[in-house]
Amino acid sequence: MKLILLGPPAAGKGTQAERIAEKYALAHISTGDMLRAEIASETELGLQAKAFIDDGSLVPDEMICAMVKSRIAQDDCKNGFLLDGFPRTTAQAEALAEMIDTDIVIDIDCEPEILVARVAKRMVCPECKHTQIVNEGENPVCAKCGAELYRRPDDNPDAMRHRLAVYYESTFPLIQYYKQRGLLAAINGGQGFDEVTRDIFAVIDGVMTLKNS
Ligand code: ADP
């Protein structure tokens, strides 16, 4: 099973990806997490990517495509994987089509107002990468592993506005791209996280049944 999760920033891709990867035993490939790990380890790639990420711009296609290509060649991807945050441009989608045959593209659709409100409250675990909404007065502690949460530098209002603009300009056209190829399933991301998960599992179960028949 090779699956792509599409959707605007803060639509819940990371949260849903964790749940999908666990239920279907797929490798979870988050290009955002991979880039943040490169930055933390101060690698050449991380140093080059940091400025793009911090202001909410896209990292150049060649850098990302090379990173994904070597990642999906790893052993844990043999039984299938889930791409979260890639592809984000038509050039990336075309590069990916040269690498693999995708089974399904799940688009988590969500209104910009909901996204802006969510991003103001979300925090991330530096240890296990879990993303969590932290309301005012709550302790910023990871519900999964207990580590202290941090706010991503690109989760500020200016960078978020820019990320949304970049999404509508560069990534949104991929919905049409995958629709034309008969691969798109749209999910209402404005529901609660559990309802979104339920709808996604129903889509994946349907694809599995078709694949196994
Ligand atoms: P979000 O939670 O906003 O969806 P991610 O964690 O997926 O964000 O990505 C954070 C940042 O990393 C992006 O704003 C971008 O700068 C960079 N990035 C991640 N994936 C890609 C990609 N496929 N192409 C270009 N840049 C990327």
Side-chain angles (χ1 to χ4, degrees):
M1 172 70 78
K2 300 180 195 76
L3 205 148
I4 296 172
L5 269 189
L6 269 187
K13 294 190 297 293
T15 300
Q16 300 301 334
E18 272 181 31
R19 296 178 178 184
I20 299 166
E22 193 184 336
K23 176 161 160 109
Y24 298 96
L26 301 174
H28 173 194
I29 303 177
S30 158
T31 44
D33 284 350
M34 288 172 77
L35 291 168
R36 283 184 286 276
E38 298 280 345
I39 292 174
S41 322
E42 299 183 348
T43 63
E44 184 67 34
L45 175 65
L47 293 174
Q48 286 174 11
K50 187 172 176 2
F52 293 104
I53 296 177
D54 284 353
D55 89 341
S57 300
L58 292 182
V59 170
D61 288 334
E62 313 76 65
M63 275 168 75
I64 287 285
C65 291
M67 189 177 87
V68 170
K69 191 168 187 182
S70 67
R71 179 67 188 85
I72 61 182
Q74 287 173 15
D75 265 1
D76 65 327
C77 293
K78 288 223 167 70
N79 291 329
F81 53 84
L82 145 71
L83 291 166
D84 158 13
F86 181 92
R88 258 180 160 91
T89 63
T90 306
Q92 291 179 15
E94 282 168 352
L96 181 67
E98 300 284 315
M99 299 178 212
I100 60 156
D101 285 326
T102 300
D103 291 299
I104 185 84
V105 178
I106 296 179
D107 176 43
I108 307 181
D109 188 22
C110 202
E111 295 299 317
E113 299 73 44
I114 298 180
L115 302 170
V116 172
R118 266 191 204 157
V119 113
K121 290 185 180 175
R122 81 170 176 182
M123 295 184 83
V124 185
C125 176
E127 301 297 330
C128 74
K129 315 295 175 227
H130 178 65
T131 298
Q132 190 171 313
I133 300 287
V134 180
N135 290 305
E136 232 175 282
E138 280 176 8
N139 250 350
V141 171
C142 178
K144 288 218 156 162
C145 75
E148 190 168 338
L149 301 171
Y150 78 104
R151 195 168 298 284
R152 277 170 43 178
D154 59 345
D155 274 355
N156 67 72
D158 281 348
M160 181 56 182
R161 260 192 297 278
H162 185 48
R163 280 155 67 200
L164 277 174
V166 168
Y167 168 77
Y168 285 109
E169 162 134 9
S170 303
T171 310
F172 189 73
L174 292 183
I175 294 177
Q176 197 56 28
Y177 176 95
Y178 285 118
K179 206 183 259 177
Q180 280 167 355
R181 285 157 182 77
L183 288 173
L184 194 85
I187 302 284
N188 171 11
Q191 317 174 80
F193 286 126
D194 292 342
E195 284 73 33
V196 176
T197 307
R198 178 201 61 203
D199 290 357
I200 292 177
F201 285 179
V203 167
I204 300 175
D205 288 342
V207 174
M208 291 251 191
T209 310
L210 271 178
K211 258 176 103 77
N212 295 332
S213 65

